[in-house]
Amino acid sequence: MAATRPIQPLPEQLINQIAAGEVVERPASVVKELVENSIDAGADRVEVDLEAGGKRLIRVRDNGAGIAREQLALALNRHATSKVASLQELERVASLGFRGEALPSIASVSRLTLTSRADGEELAWRVDAGDSATPGEPAPAAHPQGTTVEVRDLFFNTPGRRKFLKAERTEFGHIQEQVRRIALARFDIGVRLRHNDRTGLQVAPAVDDAAREERLARLLGAGFVEQALRVGVEAAGLSLRGWVGLPTFSRGTADLQYLFVNGRHVRDRTAAHAIRRAYHDVLFKDRYPAYVLYLEVDPGQVDVNVHPAKHEVRFRDGRLIHDFLARSLRDVLGSVRPDAADIPVAPAPETSATPSRVSESAVAEGGASASAREPQQSGFGFGLREAQALYGESTPTTDQPAGATQETASVTADREIPPLGYALAQIHGVFILAETADGVVLVDMHAAHERIVYERMKEALATQGIASQPLLMPVPVAVTPAEAELAESHQETFRQLGFEVDRNGPDSVLVRQVPGLLRHADVGRLVADVLADLRALGGDGERLRERLNQVLGTMACHGSVRANRSLTTAEMNALLRDMEQTPNSGQCNHGRPTWTRLGMAALDRLFMRGQ
């Protein structure tokens, strides 16, 4: 048995190196700590110079308040900081750095030089930490107001750490991402990043909305700005600002997701789950939303001291934060209507819009008219009389085949053209072509109608419940024994969804009622798909109720108009009007776009008119 060593204090240098293991993971960690110090010092200009991906040199220069001569050496001591002085300040910390460990930890694994000229001082001073735990005496130096920290030969004295660093290009990529986050966090600060004497990133301070969006485009690409919605919501002492990408601008990876809490870039599971929930029925399950969001919280309600590198936070009321984020972003996404299509970056509404009951837009075989007693749960037809009653005399007055256009001119002349215009033709049984005030739109009729049916069923489930339609004859459906047991154990769930399903044997169920919106769907396939969803969701009844929207999405697909279904002009116009009133109508339940617009300018360019 090995002899035990006596308990003894560790050398100061080793203590700092252990702390460095928590704070300094790679060159990007050094850049983060040093730039955050510059921001806390009040700098509005920060310059970062690198060599060899930061492994050979990291130099951060700012024009902040600077450090006085007598405090230079103290700045390199552990737990020495100007940012907190009491437990009360620690519990409400507003600065980015506060532990007082960054500089001494970095100095313990590199050759660090600190040069600074304090505000109002005539001379600058330099202190060289070298490769020892004790810095030398400050010496005079030439330097403008502000501070420069020079870090050379990172991990030179800890070869085990150094060998785990990646290639120069990889390490530079991590630093570039770190600087990008800082530039996104503080639009009021100019940032320049140079690598091996080549400028990799440079942005000036952005003082107005136009400049901020220009910076956003430079950092994340013009595509994000063009496909993003502006967010601005305040409630319950919380504030949320920023931009969220449209569902159609989703990503294959979570590479364009930036959340800042009180100015600090963080990763938080509560917030991430809330944002995902806001997008959950407008995205493919393997796609990721894009966003840049700024959440302001009372500093006393968030703990930023839970991670050595301050990557994570803990909210005192996580449920409040989750619900605020999910509700606010869901309202913003749901507010998008075709009439806002010409304004890609739209302001967030104060309240969410609710689906409006307009025409009966569930199209299927049979063309049943709307029921006076159940206007939202009636048949699937777009009858001419219903269209006239709902949309006025400007709707075409004869039920004509798709493609008839003789009445469009009089329609558009008599009244203001709605955002999605009036239908001109149906193309290949798949798309609707409509004329608008400034061009044309193309609509994927199945995708658009699927969203309309889905939103109506969601509203019905949340209010009076989904109305049922008894079948003239019960329909037997063959299922597996496991599915028959599932149907028997989830009869209440089926009733919530508008079904009446009874077990009819070891491998059969009998369907007696279906949702009114889906009464023309294939009953066998519909019930089979609902059972498949219930089996996949699993869990107890409470968990299932929270996730019934996924089942509704499957049901909506069955109830929406199919490709190659011939629509009359009145039916096509009714679908367009419904789209204008339905939340999230810009994309189907799976995240695909439902329509696109070509303005006159785009059409002129397409045909080279005026050139």
Side-chain angles (χ1 to χ4, degrees):
M1 182 176 178
T4 59
R5 296 176 178 175
I7 298 173
Q8 57 188 348
L10 294 174
E12 186 68 21
Q13 178 75 354
L14 182 56
I15 292 173
N16 287 339
Q17 288 176 340
I18 292 172
E22 297 180 332
V23 176
V24 185
E25 179 185 358
R26 61 193 333 146
S29 308
V30 175
V31 172
K32 173 184 181 294
E33 297 291 344
L34 297 183
V35 174
E36 286 182 350
N37 278 347
S38 296
I39 294 173
D40 285 340
D44 62 10
R45 187 179 70 252
V46 180
E47 299 175 355
V48 181
D49 289 279
L50 310 169
E51 291 180 10
K55 291 183 282 188
R56 185 183 307 138
L57 170 69
I58 299 172
R59 183 189 299 119
V60 176
R61 172 175 291 182
D62 66 59
N63 65 344
I67 306 172
R69 176 188 184 279
E70 62 273 14
Q71 293 187 327
L72 276 179
L74 189 61
L76 296 173
N77 288 348
R78 292 188 71 227
H79 305 308
T81 179
S82 62
K83 301 172 185 179
V84 293
S86 66
L87 177 61
Q88 289 74 22
E89 290 184 359
L90 180 62
E91 290 179 343
R92 299 184 60 86
V93 65
S95 58
L96 296 176
F98 53 86
R99 292 173 180 267
E101 291 185 357
L103 284 177
S105 298
I106 295 168
S108 70
V109 291
S110 68
R111 296 184 172 93
L112 183 145
T113 301
L114 175 61
T115 307
S116 188
R117 177 179 166 188
D119 185 14
E121 295 291 332
E122 295 183 2
L123 291 177
W125 298 88
R126 173 184 292 121
V127 63
D128 189 353
D131 55 2
S132 67
T134 305
E137 285 296 316
H143 193 281
Q145 179 185 321
T147 302
T148 296
V149 182
E150 190 171 277
V151 178
R152 292 189 177 273
D153 302 325
L154 186 63
F155 299 137
F156 79 97
N157 54 356
T158 52
R161 300 282 305 279
R162 189 174 181 86
K163 72 178 183 180
F164 281 100
L165 293 179
K166 303 300 182 182
E168 176 179 319
R169 182 175 179 179
T170 302
E171 295 297 342
F172 174 65
H174 285 290
I175 294 173
Q176 200 169 28
E177 174 61 19
Q178 190 62 62
V179 174
R180 183 181 295 113
R181 291 173 183 172
I182 292 166
L184 288 171
R186 293 294 298 267
F187 285 94
D188 58 325
I189 296 176
V191 181
R192 190 203 70 184
L193 172 64
R194 288 175 60 84
H195 183 225
N196 296 337
D197 294 327
R198 296 183 60 181
T199 301
L201 185 152
Q202 185 167 359
V203 290
V207 296
D208 55 29
D209 287 345
R212 293 186 186 100
E213 291 186 1
E214 182 180 350
R215 174 183 281 201
L216 204 63
R218 292 191 62 185
L219 295 173
L220 304 180
F224 174 75
V225 177
E226 293 168 358
Q227 297 293 320
L229 302 171
R230 179 71 67 83
V231 179
V233 185
E234 293 184 9
L238 305 173
S239 171
L240 183 65
R241 309 277 176 201
W243 297 264
V244 290
L246 290 168
T248 49
F249 188 72
S250 62
R251 313 278 289 180
T253 61
D255 64 336
L256 214 165
Q257 297 184 344
Y258 297 92
L259 174 66
F260 301 90
V261 177
N262 293 350
R264 185 191 310 278
H265 180 267
V266 299
R267 296 187 297 265
D268 180 73
R269 291 184 179 180
T270 297
H273 183 268
I275 296 170
R276 188 73 182 175
R277 286 289 298 169
Y279 278 89
H280 83 281
D281 62 357
V282 293
L283 278 186
F284 285 107
K285 63 180 180 180
D286 57 347
R287 302 291 294 179
Y288 296 86
Y291 55 82
V292 179
L293 292 171
Y294 305 87
L295 177 64
E296 295 295 325
V297 186
D298 180 348
Q301 299 302 310
V302 57
D303 184 1
V304 299
N305 199 27
V306 298
H307 191 281
K310 302 180 285 291
H311 292 313
E312 301 173 5
V313 296
R314 181 183 295 120
F315 297 106
R316 299 193 188 281
D317 190 346
R319 173 54 62 181
L320 174 66
I321 299 296
H322 182 282
D323 293 348
F324 172 71
L325 286 172
R327 182 178 61 253
S328 299
L329 297 182
R330 187 166 56 244
D331 289 351
V332 170
L333 295 170
S335 72
V336 178
R337 299 288 196 278
D339 58 347
D342 290 334
I343 311 175
V345 182
E350 294 183 2
T351 58
S352 62
T354 55
S356 174
R357 178 175 59 83
V358 284
S359 77
E360 183 47 59
S361 63
V363 183
E365 307 299 333
S369 61
S371 163
R373 289 176 297 173
E374 295 180 344
Q376 289 181 286
Q377 305 297 334
S378 52
F380 298 125
F382 282 120
L384 171 61
R385 293 178 182 175
E386 289 78 3
Q388 286 179 325
L390 289 163
Y391 304 123
E393 296 180 358
S394 62
T395 304
T397 56
T398 354
D399 232 17
Q400 53 187 321
T405 62
Q406 62 265 31
E407 294 164 3
T408 303
S410 62
V411 167
T412 58
D414 290 345
R415 65 180 299 179
E416 181 180 352
I417 299 178
L420 289 180
Y422 291 106
L424 296 175
Q426 187 177 10
I427 302 174
H428 293 292
V430 176
F431 302 103
I432 295 172
L433 175 66
E435 181 181 12
T436 66
D438 64 343
V440 296
V441 296
L442 276 173
V443 175
D444 181 332
M445 64 184 194
H446 172 75
H449 190 238
E450 184 177 349
R451 168 59 65 181
I452 293 167
V453 174
Y454 175 53
E455 292 294 339
R456 287 187 173 180
M457 287 197 296
K458 278 203 308 182
E459 184 187 27
L461 183 63
T463 54
Q464 76 272 22
I466 298 177
S468 298
Q469 173 70 44
L471 299 174
L472 292 177
M473 292 290 292
V475 176
V477 179
V479 296
T480 67
E483 288 173 332
E485 291 180 7
L486 191 67
E488 187 174 23
S489 63
H490 281 84
Q491 283 190 329
E492 178 58 32
T493 302
F494 272 106
R495 274 193 287 271
Q496 285 183 283
L497 297 173
F499 293 91
E500 183 180 341
V501 179
D502 297 323
R503 189 167 185 175
N504 193 35
D507 54 1
S508 175
V509 295
L510 200 62
V511 184
R512 303 181 185 278
Q513 292 189 125
V514 295
L517 281 170
L518 310 181
R519 65 173 174 266
H520 294 289
D522 183 324
V523 174
R525 289 181 56 191
L526 174 60
V527 171
D529 283 352
V530 170
L531 283 169
D533 277 349
L534 293 177
R535 185 174 61 250
L537 291 174
D540 56 25
E542 185 63 33
R543 180 185 177 195
L544 181 62
R545 280 191 290 274
E546 293 177 356
R547 302 178 67 181
L548 280 182
N549 281 353
Q550 181 173 328
V551 183
L552 294 182
T554 299
M555 293 165 59
C557 189
H558 282 271
S560 55
V561 61
R562 299 297 179 182
N564 300 317
R565 163 78 158 87
S566 179
L567 302 182
T568 66
T569 303
E571 290 174 327
M572 290 188 287
N573 280 322
L575 181 61
L576 297 178
R577 301 296 78 78
D578 270 354
M579 290 177 64
E580 291 162 354
Q581 300 296 326
T582 300
N584 302 307
S585 62
Q587 58 282 318
C588 74
N589 311 342
H590 312 294
R592 294 190 296 108
T594 59
W595 65 280
T596 187
R597 179 195 300 271
L598 279 175
M600 287 303 298
L603 291 170
D604 286 343
R605 287 194 301 271
L606 185 63
F607 291 97
M608 303 177 67
R609 289 173 56 86
Q611 298 183 19

